[in-house]
Amino acid sequence: PSTAPAPAGSRPICQVVPPGPVFGRGSPLERACTARLLRPSAAPERWTAGSIAAFGDVRALGSPGRRAPDLIGVAVTPSGRGYWAVAAGGAVFAYGDAKIFGSVRPYPRAKPVAAITATPTGRGYWILSRRGGVFSFGDAHYYGSLGKSRLRAPVVAMTPTRHGRGYWLVTANGGVYSFGDARFYGSLGAKYSGAPVSGIAPTPSGHGYWLATASVHVYSFGNARYHGSLTAFPAKASAKATTTVRATTTVRATTTVR
């Protein structure tokens, strides 16, 4: 989030609470809530691993909780009235108007899972493995993967192009890989030594993207503009609990942007 206006027709919706320390006092997300940039559906101290929290003008429709403490990501339906959640072990959960089209639980090489991404129609999704494999379900098409590549860092996120005819994959060390009609606009390079990258989000036109890191820094490429990051809200000296912002997703009127 930033102090700059969000794109027209978009609003923040869901955040997966990762394993480990919960979002507590002094964490980046708690500071953002204090600054009124985010309005959570429940107090951060009540969140646990496996929970899904909602922000903005939407509400959480459910979460697996203790059934999936390894919950790793969410993908929202185009209507904004439902979402899928995926666990690192491959299980997929659907809420609201989301429907399950399959999972990677039967495929050992697909684990651990890194993310789930919906198609623009909402009638399918891709599941991304940290090994670089891409698995398509429903009307999602396969355009390539990094499954057979020798990578220096795990693959952590993916996002589709505007019409769903391609996608970008990003690795923890800032590498960006394009498939289908996705174009390459840059990456953090082989010499990047900062905090691990945790997410990628395309611009509305698809001619650029942002990369976010675990330390909540944001980097822009192509026609993506930099509007700021959570590093603008420094932690207090006495803060003890910190965490990583992961698996955020944004809803647009006609498609899902992550």
Side-chain angles (χ1 to χ4, degrees):
S2 69
T3 55
S10 65
R11 58 188 184 278
I13 179 169
C14 292
Q15 169 72 40
V16 170
V17 179
V22 298
F23 290 104
R25 185 171 300 279
S27 71
L29 192 54
E30 189 267 348
R31 298 196 301 278
C33 293
T34 301
R36 298 183 181 276
L37 292 180
L38 298 174
R39 296 185 180 183
S41 57
E45 60 267 19
R46 295 180 58 186
W47 299 345
T48 60
S51 297
I52 296 177
F55 301 90
D57 59 354
V58 295
R59 60 189 178 87
L61 301 172
S63 62
R66 295 180 180 178
R67 291 183 296 155
D70 60 339
L71 201 66
I72 197 69
V74 290
V76 182
T77 60
S79 69
R81 294 192 292 268
Y83 51 79
W84 296 272
V86 67
V92 175
F93 305 87
Y95 300 92
D97 62 358
K99 296 181 179 180
I100 293 181
F101 298 100
S103 75
V104 295
R105 292 185 70 178
Y107 311 110
R109 291 190 60 80
K111 307 168 188 176
V113 168
I116 184 171
T117 302
T119 62
T121 65
R123 294 193 291 269
Y125 46 73
W126 293 275
I127 293 180
L128 175 67
S129 166
R130 287 177 66 85
R131 300 169 184 248
V134 175
F135 302 84
S136 54
F137 299 89
D139 67 353
H141 291 278
Y142 175 79
Y143 296 103
S145 75
L146 299 173
K148 295 183 179 180
S149 302
R150 299 184 64 180
L151 303 171
R152 296 182 178 180
V155 182
V156 294
M158 73 179 293
T159 191
T161 57
R162 186 174 183 179
H163 299 292
R165 301 190 186 103
Y167 41 73
W168 292 274
L169 305 185
V170 62
T171 58
N173 62 354
V176 177
Y177 302 84
S178 55
F179 299 89
D181 66 353
R183 293 185 58 186
F184 177 76
Y185 294 103
S187 68
L188 292 180
K191 295 183 179 180
Y192 175 72
S193 59
V197 171
S198 58
I200 180 173
T203 61
S205 68
H207 298 308
Y209 42 75
W210 294 271
L211 298 183
T213 71
S215 60
V216 292
H217 282 82
V218 176
Y219 299 88
S220 55
F221 300 88
N223 70 348
R225 296 183 60 187
Y226 178 75
H227 297 288
S229 67
L230 287 181
T231 53
F233 302 93
K236 297 179 180 179
S238 61
K240 296 182 179 180
T242 58
T243 190
T244 300
V245 177
R246 296 165 62 183
T248 55
T249 184
T250 301
V251 180
R252 295 181 62 218
T254 58
T255 186
T256 300
V257 179
R258 295 198 55 196

